[in-house]
Every structure is written in structure tokens, then in C-alpha cells.
Amino acid sequence: MSNSSYIPVFAHRGASAYALENTFKAFEKALELGADGIELDIQFSKEGCPIVYHDPQLSRLVGINKLVSDCTMEELLRFKLGKPWRRLFSSAKMPAFDAVLAWAKTNKLPLNIELKSTILDNQNGLKDFLQGLSLPTGSHFSSFHYELLEMVKKHRPEFETALIATKKLKWDLLADYKAADTVHMHKRYYKPRYLEACVTSGKACRFYAIDGNEPFLTNPHHAVLGWITDYPDKVITTQQRV
């Protein structure tokens, strides 16, 4: 990009405003729209294999009252995904993380891999997953759960980690979160207090829930190194207007 203040745009669960979240269709759409990276969620199957899916429960997109972690990989890959009235005719399936990783490497697309709360119950699965894992340049792990980032740093210290901010985050003690390299925040946190806390603690930040209409996109704070959005095309266009 020619714009010197251009910030990389990560497509949230793929281009999820245009295609079903966390599916290959959403990831392909993000690539087509020019996204600089992909944000996705992983859980582990019953046997500890990584699968790309957001919720711990299958009810919202599969229509089954069962946990992802109670299903085998074979079962998970077979489920049709979609809203209740569309699911019957849907061709969308849950992708295995390994398949998405191979695709991302081929397209040189960084991944923002969010580690979900269910992984707290399968820390051996996370340890096995991290062993020998190779990611596209610019990839990183994110989580609401600091304990999971500590595990990433313990087993693979070279991987970038990002703590997703919650109301419990102690901003004045941000430097003490040593296992978090960066902070991911909802755009409502785009305020001097939080930005300065990042600068003071030596941590960069990314913001999510960006829709392309935010005034700060055209003059971003120097601590920001990523936008996370359902609308990668709109965010890219807004930044290019400068």
C-alpha cells in the first residue's frame, strides 16, 4: 500500500458480513476483498484436533444441543452450517484448522488465531497443537484468557500473543501482563487513556468491531498495528482515501 499510515486489516471470522463466519467461503471472500489477514476461532474436537468454530455449543449454526468438544472430528466436519431456515440447503461446513492453515500459507495470509475458553479444559491439546506448528509470517494468537497466552509463550515464545481486553483488565498494570505482546480491544476503547496505557507498557494494539466509518481510521494512533472487521473492503477503502 502506498499510504504510509495504512494499518493491516484482518477479516473477522473471514469477511463475515458477506459470507457465513469461519467458513472457507468467508476466508476466500476476505482474500478477494484484499484483507491483509484472517481472524478465526479454534476449539478442539473430542480427540483434541483443532477445528475452526466460534461457539462452544453447536446450537446456533448446527442446530444440535451439543458441545464441540464432545464431538469427534469426523462428526464436526460432516455438520451442515447455517441459520435455521437456510441450514437444510447449506453447503457450508466447519473447516479443520489444518486445512485453513495450508490455504493461508499458500496465500501468504497472516492468521489471528483466537483461543476460545473451552481450551482451558484441554491444555494438553493446546500443548500438542503448538508443537511443531508453523504459521504464516505476521500471524499471532489472541484470547480473552491470559492463562492460554502464558501457555503459548511457555511452549512457543517466538509467537506473538494478544490479550483481548475485558472490563477486568488492570490498565495501570498492563506491563505486568508479560505473556501478552499486544492488546486487542473493542473500538469503544479507542480513547487516550487506553492508547496511552499501551504506549507506557510497550504494547501495541489492534481494534475490533471496526466498520469502516470510524474517523480515527484516517489518522491512526501510532500504537495501532491492526484493524479487525467484518467489512475488510470498507476499512481498506477508508484508509486509502487519505
Side-chain angles (χ1 to χ4, degrees):
M1 295 288 171
S2 55
N3 178 4
S4 60
S5 65
Y6 180 86
I7 305 282
V9 175
F10 280 77
H12 178 243
R13 305 183 201 170
S16 54
Y18 307 105
L20 187 63
E21 63 180 65
N22 277 328
T23 61
F24 261 113
K25 200 169 179 186
F27 301 148
E28 292 280 6
K29 187 68 180 173
L31 179 64
E32 180 194 319
L33 294 175
D36 303 292
I38 300 285
E39 187 271 353
L40 52 77
D41 307 278
I42 64 163
Q43 319 262 359
F44 289 128
S45 69
K46 193 173 187 175
E47 62 270 70
C49 300
I51 188 97
V52 179
Y53 194 73
H54 179 271
D55 305 353
Q57 288 268 5
L58 293 167
S59 47
R60 181 169 63 96
L61 291 179
V62 180
I64 294 171
N65 191 18
K66 204 173 177 183
L67 293 170
V68 172
S69 56
D70 286 342
C71 299
T72 64
M73 198 65 171
E74 190 184 354
E75 285 177 286
L76 293 169
L77 294 172
R78 215 169 43 228
F79 291 135
K80 286 185 170 187
L81 301 182
K83 302 282 163 59
W85 51 280
R86 300 180 74 169
R87 196 179 298 130
L88 205 59
F89 309 101
S90 172
S91 60
K93 301 278 181 77
M94 237 179 268
F97 174 76
D98 293 352
V100 177
L101 177 59
W103 173 85
K105 282 181 174 177
T106 299
N107 290 288
K108 296 183 169 60
L109 266 187
L111 296 175
N112 166 5
I113 303 161
E114 186 181 334
L115 301 172
K116 306 305 287 184
S117 60
T118 52
I119 298 174
L120 290 165
D121 300 324
N122 189 359
Q123 297 192 16
N124 282 335
L126 179 57
K127 183 181 168 185
D128 293 344
F129 171 64
L130 291 167
Q131 213 161 20
L133 181 66
S134 145
L135 296 172
T137 304
S139 298
H140 48 276
F141 286 95
S142 62
S143 187
F144 285 101
H145 305 280
Y146 184 68
E147 193 182 332
L148 295 178
L149 302 183
E150 287 183 309
M151 279 201 69
V152 173
K153 282 297 185 190
K154 180 183 175 185
H155 298 291
R156 297 298 299 273
E158 73 276 23
F159 284 150
E160 185 197 329
T161 52
L163 181 62
I164 307 174
T166 65
K167 289 177 182 174
K168 294 178 184 173
L169 183 61
K170 296 179 175 70
W171 290 95
D172 298 336
L173 302 173
L174 201 52
D176 294 347
Y177 294 87
K178 301 211 184 303
D181 301 310
T182 37
V183 185
H184 286 184
M185 295 176 260
H186 188 279
K187 67 180 176 186
R188 65 173 167 266
Y189 285 97
Y190 196 97
K191 292 173 181 169
R193 182 196 162 192
Y194 305 113
L195 289 160
E196 287 312 313
C198 290
V199 172
T200 305
S201 64
K203 297 185 193 297
C205 54
R206 296 182 184 88
F207 286 87
Y208 65 89
I210 303 293
D211 59 24
N213 297 313
E214 294 79 8
F216 53 71
L217 288 173
T218 53
N219 186 25
H221 189 278
H222 61 87
V224 181
L225 50 76
W227 307 121
I228 303 167
T229 177
D230 295 354
Y231 306 90
D233 52 333
K234 292 182 181 178
V235 179
I236 291 164
T237 301
T238 299
Q239 290 197 97
Q240 287 174 333
R241 285 198 195 115
V242 183

